[in-house]
Amino acid sequence: MSEALAWIDAQQSSLQQRLMQWSRINSGSHNLDGLANMHQTLADAYAEVSDSVESITADSYQIVRADGVVEEKQYGRMLHCLKRPEAKRRILLVGHMDTVFPADSAFQQPAQIDDNTIHGPGVADMKGGLLCMLTALKAYEQFTSDPQLGWEVLINADEELGSHGSRATIAKLATHSEIGLVYEPALADGTMVSSRKGSGNFSLVVHGKAAHAGREFNLGRNAIAQLALAMQALHGLNEKRDSIICNLGTITGGTVVNSVADLAICHFNVRTETSEDETWIQNQLKEIIVNINAEDGYSAELHGGLTRPPKDFSPEIKALFTLLSECSEQLGFEIKHQATGGCCDGNNLAAAGLPNIDTLGVRGGAIHTEDEFMLLDSLTERSKLSYLLLEKLNQMDSFEHYMRSQS
Ligand SMILES: [Zn+2]
């Protein structure tokens, strides 16, 4: 075991170099060429340790354009790697190759800013994590004398958009495994995530009737005004229930000032803590739509939905953290965790019944901003943490037995 840990330590400078290379590849969620490049880079890297590597087409998704038309969009392809598919004990490791920085973003180049910090797109979220996953798997395959785990890696290309195109694949793969490991970044101080809110994106499209603002104002039906009322109601939901968040994100509508606007659109995001919240919010949204449709000359449609159910700090996840804490003790540090309002594929895995820890990636911060950074010493630290966890899982008869022995 100490041999494996020493081997991981010796990877520090090559990991650093590789992370800089990966960060230079723009893989914004909408940049399909950049994602194809990142996909190939990852396929080559993971082929070194997998029995098979394949590319999976993501489902397409619908967006509501500014003119109200619903358009079908494509996501980047997913990478799927398999090892020991015949093994009885199976785990699923999940990551994403996309970032929030588009092809035309000003933020393209990584840079080292001090001895232990690099700054760059995706260095924390989550190209650093993809390297930790790979390094832990390599150490496991190289140094474990009797490897029992069949593992599967899924790296999607639409996580930052909500994983709509990869959701079905994630749910399907989750049924093959006992445990899920996801490589989102930990906080800069190493704190990990215990539970997460659920989330969903919606587009509310309101149709009115166009008319000349001066001559026939009374014949028009102003979609902007109607949407404004609906948005008041949506924002008001935050007051009605503490455990939900409804955030109005963007609005569009109208064409010129002397015409009554016949179209207005609001895109918004909802966060929930429980399945009761999900039912509650869905009923509230339905009511808002019914109210608009009841107004003379107006109609409304709601697109989107709640796609990431809340992730509880379940007894299974607590048990996984107990195991992980034993690993971190061996490495001389303590694991802390806390709840968050953010979502990730850990939500989707949990919803599919797979207990998982979802912040096994590097330590870093300011993610989703041009100040994104990661701490270099966490590359080997978190690789070793994952490796030790794989070792522990390898020694168990089954995770279920372990759970029973814990209770
Ligand atoms: Zn992420």
Side-chain angles (χ1 to χ4, degrees):
M1 193 170 291
S2 56
E3 207 190 340
L5 299 181
W7 178 82
I8 294 176
D9 280 332
Q11 306 306 305
Q12 180 67 35
S13 74
S14 70
L15 288 173
Q16 237 166 278
Q17 264 175 24
R18 212 167 201 184
L19 182 55
M20 301 286 263
Q21 280 165 14
W22 288 8
S23 173
R24 276 185 207 106
I25 301 172
N26 180 285
S27 57
S29 311
H30 294 290
N31 178 6
L32 296 184
D33 290 340
L35 286 168
N37 186 0
M38 194 65 220
H39 185 289
Q40 191 54 52
T41 303
L42 289 169
D44 293 343
Y46 276 79
E48 291 172 31
V49 74
S50 310
D51 285 341
S52 69
V53 172
E54 61 163 347
S55 181
I56 302 179
T57 306
D59 296 333
S60 61
Y61 73 114
Q62 293 186 330
I63 57 150
V64 178
R65 292 192 330 212
D67 59 2
V69 174
V70 177
E71 193 184 335
E72 204 82 2
K73 280 276 213 182
Q74 298 303 318
Y75 288 114
R77 297 171 73 81
M78 294 171 262
L79 184 71
H80 178 225
C81 313
L82 263 179
K83 186 78 178 182
R84 261 175 245 104
E86 71 290 348
K88 266 202 215 103
R89 311 233 6 250
R90 307 179 60 79
I91 61 164
L92 174 63
L93 301 98
V94 174
H96 63 84
M97 66 180 90
D98 61 324
T99 72
V100 298
F101 305 104
D104 61 357
S105 161
F107 190 40
Q108 300 287 352
Q109 291 300 320
Q112 184 154 359
I113 50 180
D114 64 39
D115 280 356
N116 197 34
T117 315
I118 61 171
H119 160 69
V123 291
D125 186 13
M126 65 152 56
K127 291 174 180 176
L130 296 177
L131 275 168
C132 293
M133 188 204 293
L134 178 62
T135 307
L137 289 172
K138 279 186 175 173
Y140 175 74
E141 292 301 331
Q142 212 173 314
F143 296 99
T144 302
S145 51
D146 182 21
Q148 294 292 320
L149 297 173
W151 52 258
E152 211 162 343
V153 168
L154 183 78
I155 304 175
N156 60 3
D158 65 337
E159 196 278 337
E160 298 293 3
L161 299 173
S163 300
H164 304 293
S166 51
R167 195 152 48 115
T169 304
I170 291 173
K172 190 180 88 189
L173 297 187
T175 63
H176 302 171
S177 283
E178 283 188 293
I179 302 283
L181 307 177
V182 184
Y183 285 80
E184 292 292 346
L187 298 183
D189 72 356
T191 304
M192 299 176 76
V193 167
S194 52
S195 64
R196 293 179 180 272
K197 288 193 188 218
S199 171
N201 293 328
F202 294 86
S203 302
L204 172 57
V205 182
V206 176
H207 301 276
K209 189 171 184 297
H212 188 288
R215 288 188 186 191
E216 294 178 317
F217 180 74
N218 58 325
L219 295 181
R221 294 289 179 271
N222 195 310
I224 294 177
Q226 193 59 239
L227 179 67
L229 293 172
M231 290 194 308
Q232 287 287 341
L234 288 170
H235 184 62
L237 298 178
N238 294 302
E239 298 282 304
K240 285 196 185 172
R241 195 170 171 105
D242 283 344
S243 53
I244 66 108
I245 294 170
C246 178
N247 181 55
L248 305 175
T250 64
I251 51 172
T252 51
T255 49
V256 291
V257 289
N258 55 0
S259 174
V260 174
D262 64 350
L263 177 71
I265 302 166
C266 173
H267 302 282
F268 60 97
N269 175 256
V270 167
R271 306 265 159 168
T272 56
E273 276 176 21
T274 61
S275 55
E276 291 77 40
D277 289 343
E278 295 194 309
T279 312
W280 183 84
I281 198 98
Q282 263 152 350
N283 288 334
Q284 297 290 319
L285 296 178
K286 228 178 266 169
E287 198 180 309
I288 290 169
I289 302 300
V290 166
N291 288 344
I292 301 173
N293 285 322
E295 294 285 330
D296 173 48
Y298 292 99
S299 67
E301 309 130 34
L302 189 66
H303 299 270
L306 295 166
T307 46
R308 282 187 161 149
K311 179 185 173 187
D312 294 334
F313 195 32
S314 66
E316 288 85 358
I317 295 177
K318 280 189 189 128
L320 268 178
F321 267 108
T322 305
L323 270 182
L324 195 68
S325 294
E326 289 169 19
C327 302
S328 75
E329 267 165 38
Q330 268 177 269
L331 297 170
F333 63 91
E334 204 186 321
I335 291 284
K336 292 194 197 94
H337 50 71
Q338 65 187 34
T340 177
C343 294
C344 75
D345 288 327
N347 291 68
N348 300 54
L349 291 178
L354 189 67
N356 67 87
I357 295 186
D358 59 28
T359 33
L360 287 160
V362 293
R363 287 182 280 117
I367 61 171
H368 296 198
T369 77
E370 296 193 3
D371 295 320
E372 178 174 358
F373 68 91
M374 64 78 62
L375 299 165
L376 285 166
D377 59 354
S378 66
L379 277 168
T380 50
E381 176 195 283
R382 298 288 146 156
S383 299
K384 287 187 280 188
L385 185 65
S386 277
Y387 162 73
L388 290 177
L389 185 62
L390 293 176
E391 270 289 325
K392 279 210 181 295
L393 294 171
N394 190 63
Q395 287 156 16
M396 281 179 194
D397 299 334
S398 85
F399 181 65
E400 229 185 297
H401 290 171
Y402 171 78
M403 276 294 298
R404 249 179 271 146
S405 72
Q406 290 284 296
S407 56

